[in-house]
Amino acid sequence: EDKVVQSPLSLVVHEGDTVTLNCSYEVTNFRSLLWYKQEKKAPTFLFMLTSSGIEKKSGRLSSILDKKELFSILNITATQTGDSAIYLCAVVPLYGQNFVFGPGTRLSVLP
Amino acid sequence: GAVVSQHPSRVICKSGTSVKIECRSLDFQATTMFWYRQFPKQSLMLMATSNEGSKATYEQGVEKDKFLINHASLTLSTLTVTSAHPEDSSFYICSARDRSGTVHQPQHFGDGTRLSIL
């Protein structure tokens, strides 16, 4: 059974801190891994990773995938209160259309 | 960018009522739409995959007679929660994948519907 595990499940930091969110997975025939940010409503897409070792970067956020060790990390530097959200990791199997979501990491950034 | 509109955003109704939730792709055609359910502080749980013009594929444990899905066009899918009960109260989110892309593309999510059954 395909599975995605995220850690930590909850994290509280102060503005300016750097955080690393972890995502590990077990999936039959991996296609890609995606990171989403969910605030009050719909998840918004952050990154899609398909190849190992290639860092994707968007502003203060960056992510990288290790297909050998079956995990990905999402880094957020110089955190702001607006970064407070649930960060979801999802894996797409090679066959089929469904995404397998992890439980999410709830990040709270205090002023 | 791709936009998915979900309506209504909030429903409060009495037990036994049937509730219909609409999911529309506004600027792209979506052959496939997904319906998720999310409990407080938990992740998204896939309920069913909706393919235009065919029957939806339900995940194990999801009652197809309870959660009716219709995907009549390339831009609209509906989820009807029939004879809703308090245990059906949850946050329901739909998502869609652009027809022109491959399955490799990320899903675009609607804003969700918070359903409260009294």
Side-chain angles (χ1 to χ4, degrees), chain B residues 5-65:
Chain B
S5 172
Q6 188 172 340
H7 177 80
S9 59
R10 188 82 162 94
V11 179
I12 303 173
C13 57
K14 293 183 178 180
S15 185
T17 307
S18 291
V19 178
K20 180 186 280 190
I21 303 170
E22 290 187 351
C23 181
R24 293 180 184 273
S25 56
L26 296 185
D27 56 357
F28 66 98
Q29 292 185 326
T31 46
T32 305
M33 290 187 174
F34 304 89
W35 288 96
Y36 294 87
R37 184 172 181 176
Q38 186 176 33
F39 291 104
K41 299 185 179 181
Q42 293 188 27
S43 190
L44 302 174
M45 183 187 76
L46 180 66
M47 298 175 65
T49 302
S50 167
N51 293 296
E52 185 262 338
S54 64
K55 290 184 179 180
T57 302
Y58 290 83
E59 295 300 299
Q60 193 172 15
V62 179
E63 299 175 57
K64 61 180 180 181
D65 295 330

Side-chain angles (χ1 to χ4, degrees), chain A residues 2 27-31 91-100, chain B residues 103:
Chain A
D2 299 335
V27 65
T28 305
N29 298 313
F30 173 88
R31 178 189 291 272
V91 171
V92 186
L94 187 61
Y95 303 111
Q97 306 179 82
N98 304 342
F99 286 17
V100 181
Chain B
V103 71

Side-chain angles (χ1 to χ4, degrees), chain A residues 31-32 34 36 38 40-45 48 50 86 88 92 94 96-99 101-104 106, chain B residues 32 34 36 38 41-44 46 49 51 59 91 93 97 103-112 114:
Chain A
R31 178 189 291 272
S32 58
L34 296 93
Y36 285 88
Q38 185 180 23
K40 292 184 179 179
K41 294 184 177 180
T44 53
F45 171 73
M48 182 167 68
T50 56
I86 298 173
L88 297 167
V92 186
L94 187 61
Q97 306 179 82
N98 304 342
F99 286 17
F101 279 90
R106 181 177 292 272
Chain B
T32 305
F34 304 89
Y36 294 87
Q38 186 176 33
K41 299 185 179 181
Q42 293 188 27
S43 190
L44 302 174
L46 180 66
T49 302
N51 293 296
E59 295 300 299
F91 191 56
I93 306 179
R97 181 179 287 125
V103 71
H104 210 55
Q105 287 195 349
Q107 296 177 16
H108 305 286
F109 287 86
D111 278 345
R114 189 162 299 284

